Amino acid sequence: MSAIASALRRIGALTIDGIWRLGFATRFLFAVLLNSGQSLRRIHLTIRELYFSGVLSLLIIMVSGLFVGLVLGLQGYDILQRYGSADAVGVMVALSLLRELGPVIAALLFASRAGSAITAEIGLMKTTEQLKAMDMMAVNPIARVVAPRFWGGVLSMPLLAALFSAMGVFGGWLITVVVIGVDDGAFWSQMQAAVEFRYDVVNGVIKSAVFGTVVSLIAVFEGYDCQPTAEGVSRAITRTVVTSALAILALDFVLTSFMFRG
């Protein structure tokens, strides 16, 4: 009985801690939004974070998109040629990337590369008491440190997802048209006829924007809320990557169920 009681107490403590952190994260989001005006007036801070979150992530995004497109082209051609529809491989590549793989994989890569870096940077600033020093000098750390990084991630994520999808389509064209020998005109014409701007492109952009908002919020929150020790920073980075991945996959299901109900 003592083991059961101990387990129940632990479950209760974890539940209370989770609810508390969720409430604190909600308050933190409102604080970031309220202080965003000050950071946007200092536009150079947001531009610097756009470079840090977006431009420095271009290499991994574009290379990963290229190889994902190559794999989709190979798999799609192998499957569709069994049913005599090998020329429609471009449709499969484009729809897979625009609807699902582009926003999801780009967001996972963004969380691993930029999200963990943002958490580490804010966590180290907290550990070295730079945030307290700003507060003592009447400089709002949320407006000066947190908000530019939050908006940098929110704005860069849709652009990175678009580049990922573009490189994926290029990789699919490269492997199917140039290497395998699928007709070039059929590849592009069937893709153009099947892809709808409203249901495929716009919904993909909406997904990537939601993912960017969630990942950026998790990254800045975990960095701001971490324990001011080396171990605390490392745990915060781990929580950022794991929580972001779970949130991305869960939100992808929710958004897809609303966007593609027909």
Side-chain angles (χ1 to χ4, degrees), residues 121-215:
E121 190 174 8
I122 298 177
L124 289 174
M125 293 179 72
K126 184 177 181 179
T127 303
T128 55
E129 297 188 348
Q130 296 181 48
L131 300 181
K132 287 185 178 180
M134 290 182 185
D135 200 17
M136 292 177 64
M137 293 185 295
V139 176
N140 190 341
I142 294 181
R144 180 65 176 76
V145 175
V146 175
R149 287 165 174 79
F150 173 77
W151 288 110
V154 171
L155 296 175
S156 61
M157 185 61 240
L159 301 176
L160 293 174
L163 288 172
F164 184 95
S165 298
M167 288 300 297
V169 171
F170 173 74
W173 171 84
L174 187 66
I175 193 66
T176 56
V177 175
V178 177
V179 178
I180 297 178
V182 175
D183 183 70
D184 191 18
F187 181 91
W188 293 111
S189 62
Q190 293 198 36
M191 181 190 302
Q192 184 179 6
V195 174
E196 297 185 15
F197 181 79
R198 166 66 180 82
Y199 291 102
D200 300 320
V201 179
V202 173
N203 286 340
V205 172
I206 293 173
K207 278 187 176 183
S208 60
V210 172
F211 296 158
T213 302
V214 172
V215 172

Side-chain angles (χ1 to χ4, degrees), residues 9-22:
R9 282 195 298 268
R10 182 172 178 81
I11 293 173
L14 291 175
T15 303
I16 294 173
D17 182 67
I19 294 173
W20 184 89
R21 284 178 60 83
L22 181 61

